[in-house]
Amino acid sequence: MQTRTQWLWRSGVLLAVVGLAACNATGAEEEGAVLESSEAELACNVSQQCANGTSVSCTGAGGICASGTDTGGWVSCDGTRTYCPSTTPCSCQPARMTIYATGFSFNCAAAYAAARIEAGNQTAGQCPKGMCNVVEVQEGCVVTEPPEVQRAATVSITFSCMGPPNCI
C-alpha cells in the first residue's frame, strides 16, 4: 500500500516530467538552427551597373536593400541611398519648397541669425547638392514670455534644389 506522502511525491515527479517534456517540445537544437537562419537572412547585398560602365553596391545589416535605374542608377541599403557617378552638371530643379525656422536670442538681429542657421540645417538634408533661387522672408520677431525675456524670430525660406541627385 502506498502512503499519502509517497503518492504526492510520485504525482509531483510525474507532473514535473510531463511539464518539462511539454516545455522542451521544439528541442534546443531546432531553436538554435531557426535563430541562426533568421539572423543570416537579415543581411543583404545589392549592386547596380551604372551607365558609364562603373557600378555601385552596398550591404545592409537590417535586410532592407533595393536598387533602381532612375536618375542614372542607385542602390539603397538600410535607408542610405548611393547614386551612380555622373557627368551631368547640376542645374536648378523646377520644384519649389518652403521651410520655416525659429531662432532665439537676446535681440532680434541675433534671433534672425539663429533662425537662418536652423533653416540652413533643414535645407541641407533636402538639397545635398545645394540650393538655388532662394527667397528669405523675415516673418517676425517677438518677445518671449518671462522668466526668460528674450526674442524669438521666424524666417521662411523658399527654394529649389540643385540636381539631379547624382550631378556634379
Side-chain angles (χ1 to χ4, degrees):
M1 278 198 116
Q2 153 171 309
T3 65
R4 178 175 165 87
T5 305
Q6 289 174 330
W7 182 83
L8 286 173
W9 188 83
R10 286 183 181 149
S11 298
V13 168
L14 179 63
L15 285 174
V17 168
V18 170
L20 286 174
C23 289
N24 199 21
T26 61
E29 292 118 324
E30 290 179 29
E31 279 186 35
V34 170
L35 287 176
E36 285 180 31
S37 66
S38 294
E39 290 170 5
E41 290 173 7
L42 287 179
C44 60
N45 291 320
V46 66
S47 63
Q48 176 70 39
Q49 186 68 34
C50 302
N52 65 0
T54 65
S55 64
V56 290
S57 62
C58 64
T59 301
I64 303 172
C65 295
S67 66
T69 57
D70 53 312
T71 63
W74 54 270
V75 293
S76 176
C77 292
D78 298 334
T80 302
R81 189 174 278 200
T82 304
Y83 290 93
C84 285
S86 173
T87 57
T88 306
C90 294
S91 63
C92 194
Q93 301 297 292
R96 302 284 288 161
M97 295 175 263
T98 301
I99 59 114
Y100 294 87
T102 302
F104 300 91
S105 193
F106 59 93
N107 65 30
C108 286
Y112 277 123
R116 277 187 211 95
I117 291 170
E118 175 59 27
N121 291 339
Q122 290 180 33
T123 58
Q126 294 180 4
C127 298
K129 296 293 183 176
M131 299 183 304
C132 54
N133 295 333
V134 178
V135 177
E136 179 185 317
V137 176
Q138 295 181 350
E139 299 289 335
C141 184
V142 296
V143 175
T144 60
E145 296 294 321
E148 295 181 35
V149 179
Q150 60 180 356
R151 305 291 188 267
T154 302
V155 297
S156 68
I157 296 182
T158 302
F159 59 95
S160 295
C161 293
M162 296 298 287
N166 63 337
C167 67
I168 55 170

